[in-house]
Amino acid sequence: MIYFDNSATTKPFEEVMTAYQKAATQFFANPSSLHYLGSDAERLLMRTRQAVAEQLRIETEEVIFTSGGTESNNLAIKGIAFQHQTRGKHLITSSVEHPSVLEVFKELEQNGFEVSYASVDHSGKVDPEEIKSLIRKDTILISIMSVNNELGTIQPLEEIGDIAGMYPKVLFHADHVQGIGKVPLSLKKAKVDLCSISGHKIHGLKGTGILYVRKGVLLSPLFHGGGHEANRRSGTENLPGMVAFAKALRMIKEKEKKQLNELIHLRHHLINQLNVMEQVIVNSPLSGAPHIINVSVPGIKPEVMIHALAKKNIFVSAKSACSSKQPDVSSVLKACNLKESVTKSAIRISLSYSNTIEEADLFLKEFNSAIRYLEKGR
Amino acid sequence: MQFDLILIRYGEMAIKGKNRNYFERKLQNHLIKKLEPFKGTRVKKSRDRMYVVLNGEDPHAVMKECQEVFGIHSLSFAVKVEKEETEIKKASLYAFQDAHNAKTFKVSSKRADKSFSIRSQDLNHKVGGYVLANTDGVTVNVHEPDVELKIEVRNDAAYITAQDYPGAGGLPVGTTGKSLLLLSGGIDSPVSGYLTMKRGVQLEAIHFHSPPYTSDRSKQKVLDLASELAKYGQTINVHIVPFTALQQKIHQEIPEGYGMTVMRRMMMRVSEQIARKREILSLTTGESLGQVASQTMESMNAINDVTNYPVIRPLVAMDKLDIIEISRKIKTYPISKLPYEDCCTIFVPKAPKTKPTRENANYYESNVDFEKELTEAIEQTEMVEVRARQKTTGEFDDLL
């Protein structure tokens, strides 16, 4: 099996599963319970939070555990919008954000907020100058992803952060779900106020993730109840999930430290070879994230290509998994002003640290023969 | 490019005379111990300062550790490069960019190796020009720069330092003796311990535990607090005194208004005995004048009556808000705020005497025989060795 769909989700690390199971069986008690089983669980919870904070070089109270990227994005955007709506009701994002960001903004537009969507160039990149020009007196939030989930384009977060930093009332949210563990982001340097991270994209488990909220930033919660996570996310803590997240984060950070160059090399190898194929157009910028390659084979429906490759036990995606069931063209590629033949035929190859050059070569071979075969039916 | 060294400048100990060596050795040992997890690092002493050789370890992580060691006035990263103009320029830019918010700078070059062909003045200009050309919105200010780029051309290499990071100040822990800290779970006592350690004192701690009125969590909380304090020195021995029997007896036998006063006096008696056993010459408390009933002038007088050991009270003249600020800085605040009962919050009289007298306290105590309970409390005291947080929390390392 060649699994090249790691931006959709990743296979959990063995160590993550073991940690989850151990935490779920040995520390099942509610961390809020007063007896010592509860206090053991609470100690583990505190230590887990500390481990996550250490990995991200932030403070423990800046970590809110959530159920994943979608919740983190919702909590960040709605949380800031509702908390600070008296300051202003204008928000800024880009036209290539993940649906868990874009749909939230659409919802807010229904509720009296005004949203400006920054455009992107043909590689999917936003222009910090445009962001700057969109800022108004009543702007309260800028939300930009670190890495585009379809193209792998890396957004200039440090520059945007510098701009946001000049406006004390404008908070800056970064959706770092695709970037974590592959594209280094210094939260301090990029002056990020809120940052979403998901567990299942880094070989952790579904239903786990965090939102970083810089100390001093207030946000209104989505969930009300027992006041967990310092009143910002009520609900009995998913302690084993948090443990699994911390473990996955530690492991991906280690791999990033040791294997990032290998991954970059693997991607370059694939891009070079794909560029040689005359039917193939590489949509991702060469300088993009080291794990995402978006290509188009004009004339061949992505769905058909995916099934053809799956027959050979090779797994890739069309667009992002979250929107691939909708039949229309990729809205991200459309926003990049690419031709319709390209936007209608895009395929996403997404890598992990465990993929090899051998797998890449086998993929290229099968991809090539699939194109030849499918071209006949064009 | 990356930082090769951390330069360490001494604080007050630089003015020590003949025993300066002793202070330096203590400081060096603390640094070595503190940096144990960073296997590559080496701590070296030179004539008037110390430096850490990083050998590829994460500079900012090591810096953070060093900033928690008392006896250091300030620290800087240093880059070591070939004595060659382009290398020096690149390194200077790199070092400058570490100071994210710096808007102005100046360059000060020193040429210990006079065979180096560029004179100091010229080097200042060349490097200054290079930094200006490669940054935005940065200007030179020779009088009050945000950052002073220092270039030292020595025989072996050129060394470049930029931003100064503040050290923890004070004196190396262990250079001024030992004290026994009365550690409750509150905000004040850890701060008091911290300030005492800052003056070079090595701490042991004593905590009064009254199960089942106080839970294991409140005991763990105290160990966690001690663990935060241990970051600034070495292992802290925490003496856990079983206090239930004494507290119950006080509750039954002493008039309610004097319950708190007598309880405090018992704590002092036990503490003095433990200190004696451990060859510790003083007690440290978190008392701050006027905060609560036990901290009025009258209470202090009545409580202090039972010991002639010196009682160090670093917080006595501090405002609560200033104490809280320190507790936030040293990260004990969030632990202190955890809402568990401790021995001072149980059996609280409805109206404790704010103006007790020694005479009354002595009189009430003379009617009761506490000997048995006191002896048992001291005998059954358990000692727990608490290390700095990163090290104690090994219990869950396999999971995380």
Side-chain angles (χ1 to χ4, degrees), chain A residues 278-291:
Chain A
E278 57 184 47
Q279 308 90 328
V280 177
I281 298 167
V282 178
N283 301 317
S284 295
L286 190 62
S287 61
H291 62 303

mmCIF file with all atom_site columns, all heavy atoms in Angstrom, chain A residues 278-291:
data_model
loop_
_atom_site.group_PDB
_atom_site.id
_atom_site.type_symbol
_atom_site.label_atom_id
_atom_site.label_alt_id
_atom_site.label_comp_id
_atom_site.label_asym_id
_atom_site.label_entity_id
_atom_site.label_seq_id
_atom_site.pdbx_PDB_ins_code
_atom_site.Cartn_x
_atom_site.Cartn_y
_atom_site.Cartn_z
_atom_site.occupancy
_atom_site.B_iso_or_equiv
_atom_site.pdbx_formal_charge
_atom_site.auth_seq_id
_atom_site.auth_comp_id
_atom_site.auth_asym_id
_atom_site.auth_atom_id
_atom_site.pdbx_PDB_model_num
ATOM 1   N N   . GLU A 1 278 ? 4.261  15.069 -19.831 1.00 0.00 ? 278 GLU A N   1
ATOM 2   C CA  . GLU A 1 278 ? 3.722  16.214 -20.559 1.00 0.00 ? 278 GLU A CA  1
ATOM 3   C C   . GLU A 1 278 ? 2.241  16.465 -20.306 1.00 0.00 ? 278 GLU A C   1
ATOM 4   O O   . GLU A 1 278 ? 1.771  17.584 -20.430 1.00 0.00 ? 278 GLU A O   1
ATOM 5   C CB  . GLU A 1 278 ? 3.989  16.065 -22.062 1.00 0.00 ? 278 GLU A CB  1
ATOM 6   C CG  . GLU A 1 278 ? 3.436  14.788 -22.645 1.00 0.00 ? 278 GLU A CG  1
ATOM 7   C CD  . GLU A 1 278 ? 3.827  14.656 -24.107 1.00 0.00 ? 278 GLU A CD  1
ATOM 8   O OE1 . GLU A 1 278 ? 5.021  14.868 -24.421 1.00 0.00 ? 278 GLU A OE1 1
ATOM 9   O OE2 . GLU A 1 278 ? 2.929  14.373 -24.909 1.00 0.00 ? 278 GLU A OE2 1
ATOM 10  N N   . GLN A 1 279 ? 1.491  15.428 -19.893 1.00 0.00 ? 279 GLN A N   1
ATOM 11  C CA  . GLN A 1 279 ? 0.059  15.632 -19.649 1.00 0.00 ? 279 GLN A CA  1
ATOM 12  C C   . GLN A 1 279 ? -0.198 16.276 -18.281 1.00 0.00 ? 279 GLN A C   1
ATOM 13  O O   . GLN A 1 279 ? -1.312 16.660 -17.973 1.00 0.00 ? 279 GLN A O   1
ATOM 14  C CB  . GLN A 1 279 ? -0.696 14.291 -19.673 1.00 0.00 ? 279 GLN A CB  1
ATOM 15  C CG  . GLN A 1 279 ? -0.463 13.441 -20.903 1.00 0.00 ? 279 GLN A CG  1
ATOM 16  C CD  . GLN A 1 279 ? 0.717  12.492 -20.715 1.00 0.00 ? 279 GLN A CD  1
ATOM 17  O OE1 . GLN A 1 279 ? 1.679  12.807 -20.022 1.00 0.00 ? 279 GLN A OE1 1
ATOM 18  N NE2 . GLN A 1 279 ? 0.644  11.344 -21.363 1.00 0.00 ? 279 GLN A NE2 1
ATOM 19  N N   . VAL A 1 280 ? 0.853  16.346 -17.448 1.00 0.00 ? 280 VAL A N   1
ATOM 20  C CA  . VAL A 1 280 ? 0.655  16.738 -16.056 1.00 0.00 ? 280 VAL A CA  1
ATOM 21  C C   . VAL A 1 280 ? 1.044  18.202 -15.823 1.00 0.00 ? 280 VAL A C   1
ATOM 22  O O   . VAL A 1 280 ? 2.086  18.650 -16.298 1.00 0.00 ? 280 VAL A O   1
ATOM 23  C CB  . VAL A 1 280 ? 1.488  15.833 -15.120 1.00 0.00 ? 280 VAL A CB  1
ATOM 24  C CG1 . VAL A 1 280 ? 1.342  16.283 -13.664 1.00 0.00 ? 280 VAL A CG1 1
ATOM 25  C CG2 . VAL A 1 280 ? 1.054  14.390 -15.275 1.00 0.00 ? 280 VAL A CG2 1
ATOM 26  N N   . ILE A 1 281 ? 0.204  18.924 -15.111 1.00 0.00 ? 281 ILE A N   1
ATOM 27  C CA  . ILE A 1 281 ? 0.536  20.293 -14.709 1.00 0.00 ? 281 ILE A CA  1
ATOM 28  C C   . ILE A 1 281 ? 0.690  20.321 -13.194 1.00 0.00 ? 281 ILE A C   1
ATOM 29  O O   . ILE A 1 281 ? -0.216 19.879 -12.470 1.00 0.00 ? 281 ILE A O   1
ATOM 30  C CB  . ILE A 1 281 ? -0.580 21.274 -15.120 1.00 0.00 ? 281 ILE A CB  1
ATOM 31  C CG1 . ILE A 1 281 ? -0.734 21.270 -16.647 1.00 0.00 ? 281 ILE A CG1 1
ATOM 32  C CG2 . ILE A 1 281 ? -0.278 22.677 -14.613 1.00 0.00 ? 281 ILE A CG2 1
ATOM 33  C CD1 . ILE A 1 281 ? -1.987 21.959 -17.112 1.00 0.00 ? 281 ILE A CD1 1
ATOM 34  N N   . VAL A 1 282 ? 1.831  20.765 -12.722 1.00 0.00 ? 282 VAL A N   1
ATOM 35  C CA  . VAL A 1 282 ? 2.029  20.862 -11.269 1.00 0.00 ? 282 VAL A CA  1
ATOM 36  C C   . VAL A 1 282 ? 1.497  22.214 -10.805 1.00 0.00 ? 282 VAL A C   1
ATOM 37  O O   . VAL A 1 282 ? 1.967  23.255 -11.245 1.00 0.00 ? 282 VAL A O   1
ATOM 38  C CB  . VAL A 1 282 ? 3.521  20.698 -10.904 1.00 0.00 ? 282 VAL A CB  1
ATOM 39  C CG1 . VAL A 1 282 ? 3.712  20.859 -9.392  1.00 0.00 ? 282 VAL A CG1 1
ATOM 40  C CG2 . VAL A 1 282 ? 4.032  19.334 -11.355 1.00 0.00 ? 282 VAL A CG2 1
ATOM 41  N N   . ASN A 1 283 ? 0.505  22.195 -9.925  1.00 0.00 ? 283 ASN A N   1
ATOM 42  C CA  . ASN A 1 283 ? -0.103 23.450 -9.466  1.00 0.00 ? 283 ASN A CA  1
ATOM 43  C C   . ASN A 1 283 ? 0.571  24.034 -8.232  1.00 0.00 ? 283 ASN A C   1
ATOM 44  O O   . ASN A 1 283 ? 0.494  25.233 -7.980  1.00 0.00 ? 283 ASN A O   1
ATOM 45  C CB  . ASN A 1 283 ? -1.584 23.228 -9.155  1.00 0.00 ? 283 ASN A CB  1
ATOM 46  C CG  . ASN A 1 283 ? -2.354 22.719 -10.356 1.00 0.00 ? 283 ASN A CG  1
ATOM 47  O OD1 . ASN A 1 283 ? -2.163 23.194 -11.473 1.00 0.00 ? 283 ASN A OD1 1
ATOM 48  N ND2 . ASN A 1 283 ? -3.197 21.720 -10.146 1.00 0.00 ? 283 ASN A ND2 1
ATOM 49  N N   . SER A 1 284 ? 1.183  23.154 -7.423  1.00 0.00 ? 284 SER A N   1
ATOM 50  C CA  . SER A 1 284 ? 1.795  23.634 -6.179  1.00 0.00 ? 284 SER A CA  1
ATOM 51  C C   . SER A 1 284 ? 3.060  24.415 -6.472  1.00 0.00 ? 284 SER A C   1
ATOM 52  O O   . SER A 1 284 ? 3.806  24.061 -7.379  1.00 0.00 ? 284 SER A O   1
ATOM 53  C CB  . SER A 1 284 ? 2.163  22.451 -5.289  1.00 0.00 ? 284 SER A CB  1
ATOM 54  O OG  . SER A 1 284 ? 1.019  21.780 -4.871  1.00 0.00 ? 284 SER A OG  1
ATOM 55  N N   . PRO A 1 285 ? 3.316  25.471 -5.700  1.00 0.00 ? 285 PRO A N   1
ATOM 56  C CA  . PRO A 1 285 ? 4.587  26.180 -5.868  1.00 0.00 ? 285 PRO A CA  1
ATOM 57  C C   . PRO A 1 285 ? 5.735  25.299 -5.365  1.00 0.00 ? 285 PRO A C   1
ATOM 58  O O   . PRO A 1 285 ? 5.560  24.535 -4.408  1.00 0.00 ? 285 PRO A O   1
ATOM 59  C CB  . PRO A 1 285 ? 4.418  27.410 -4.985  1.00 0.00 ? 285 PRO A CB  1
ATOM 60  C CG  . PRO A 1 285 ? 3.374  27.052 -3.993  1.00 0.00 ? 285 PRO A CG  1
ATOM 61  C CD  . PRO A 1 285 ? 2.475  26.054 -4.650  1.00 0.00 ? 285 PRO A CD  1
ATOM 62  N N   . LEU A 1 286 ? 6.894  25.414 -6.015  1.00 0.00 ? 286 LEU A N   1
ATOM 63  C CA  . LEU A 1 286 ? 8.048  24.601 -5.629  1.00 0.00 ? 286 LEU A CA  1
ATOM 64  C C   . LEU A 1 286 ? 8.453  24.899 -4.177  1.00 0.00 ? 286 LEU A C   1
ATOM 65  O O   . LEU A 1 286 ? 8.884  24.032 -3.435  1.00 0.00 ? 286 LEU A O   1
ATOM 66  C CB  . LEU A 1 286 ? 9.215  24.892 -6.569  1.00 0.00 ? 286 LEU A CB  1
ATOM 67  C CG  . LEU A 1 286 ? 10.416 23.942 -6.444  1.00 0.00 ? 286 LEU A CG  1
ATOM 68  C CD1 . LEU A 1 286 ? 10.017 22.512 -6.777  1.00 0.00 ? 286 LEU A CD1 1
ATOM 69  C CD2 . LEU A 1 286 ? 11.562 24.393 -7.341  1.00 0.00 ? 286 LEU A CD2 1
ATOM 70  N N   . SER A 1 287 ? 8.216  26.138 -3.777  1.00 0.00 ? 287 SER A N   1
ATOM 71  C CA  . SER A 1 287 ? 8.609  26.539 -2.425  1.00 0.00 ? 287 SER A CA  1
ATOM 72  C C   . SER A 1 287 ? 7.539  26.222 -1.388  1.00 0.00 ? 287 SER A C   1
ATOM 73  O O   . SER A 1 287 ? 7.574  26.720 -0.283  1.00 0.00 ? 287 SER A O   1
ATOM 74  C CB  . SER A 1 287 ? 8.853  28.054 -2.416  1.00 0.00 ? 287 SER A CB  1
ATOM 75  O OG  . SER A 1 287 ? 7.645  28.706 -2.783  1.00 0.00 ? 287 SER A OG  1
ATOM 76  N N   . GLY A 1 288 ? 6.579  25.381 -1.748  1.00 0.00 ? 288 GLY A N   1
ATOM 77  C CA  . GLY A 1 288 ? 5.470  25.097 -0.836  1.00 0.00 ? 288 GLY A CA  1
ATOM 78  C C   . GLY A 1 288 ? 5.855  24.163 0.295   1.00 0.00 ? 288 GLY A C   1
ATOM 79  O O   . GLY A 1 288 ? 7.021  23.806 0.462   1.00 0.00 ? 288 GLY A O   1
ATOM 80  N N   . ALA A 1 289 ? 4.842  23.766 1.067   1.00 0.00 ? 289 ALA A N   1
ATOM 81  C CA  . ALA A 1 289 ? 5.062  22.857 2.192   1.00 0.00 ? 289 ALA A CA  1
ATOM 82  C C   . ALA A 1 289 ? 5.648  21.548 1.677   1.00 0.00 ? 289 ALA A C   1
ATOM 83  O O   . ALA A 1 289 ? 5.336  21.129 0.567   1.00 0.00 ? 289 ALA A O   1
ATOM 84  C CB  . ALA A 1 289 ? 3.746  22.604 2.901   1.00 0.00 ? 289 ALA A CB  1
ATOM 85  N N   . PRO A 1 290 ? 6.506  20.899 2.490   1.00 0.00 ? 290 PRO A N   1
ATOM 86  C CA  . PRO A 1 290 ? 7.245  19.743 1.989   1.00 0.00 ? 290 PRO A CA  1
ATOM 87  C C   . PRO A 1 290 ? 6.411  18.482 1.821   1.00 0.00 ? 290 PRO A C   1
ATOM 88  O O   . PRO A 1 290 ? 6.946  17.447 1.474   1.00 0.00 ? 290 PRO A O   1
ATOM 89  C CB  . PRO A 1 290 ? 8.314  19.542 3.060   1.00 0.00 ? 290 PRO A CB  1
ATOM 90  C CG  . PRO A 1 290 ? 7.729  20.107 4.292   1.00 0.00 ? 290 PRO A CG  1
ATOM 91  C CD  . PRO A 1 290 ? 6.896  21.266 3.849   1.00 0.00 ? 290 PRO A CD  1
ATOM 92  N N   . HIS A 1 291 ? 5.110  18.548 2.087   1.00 0.00 ? 291 HIS A N   1
ATOM 93  C CA  . HIS A 1 291 ? 4.342  17.304 2.015   1.00 0.00 ? 291 HIS A CA  1
ATOM 94  C C   . HIS A 1 291 ? 3.152  17.349 1.059   1.00 0.00 ? 291 HIS A C   1
ATOM 95  O O   . HIS A 1 291 ? 2.429  16.372 0.948   1.00 0.00 ? 291 HIS A O   1
ATOM 96  C CB  . HIS A 1 291 ? 3.872  16.906 3.413   1.00 0.00 ? 291 HIS A CB  1
ATOM 97  C CG  . HIS A 1 291 ? 2.945  17.907 4.055   1.00 0.00 ? 291 HIS A CG  1
ATOM 98  N ND1 . HIS A 1 291 ? 3.294  19.221 4.252   1.00 0.00 ? 291 HIS A ND1 1
ATOM 99  C CD2 . HIS A 1 291 ? 1.688  17.777 4.531   1.00 0.00 ? 291 HIS A CD2 1
ATOM 100 C CE1 . HIS A 1 291 ? 2.280  19.853 4.828   1.00 0.00 ? 291 HIS A CE1 1
ATOM 101 N NE2 . HIS A 1 291 ? 1.306  19.000 5.002   1.00 0.00 ? 291 HIS A NE2 1
#
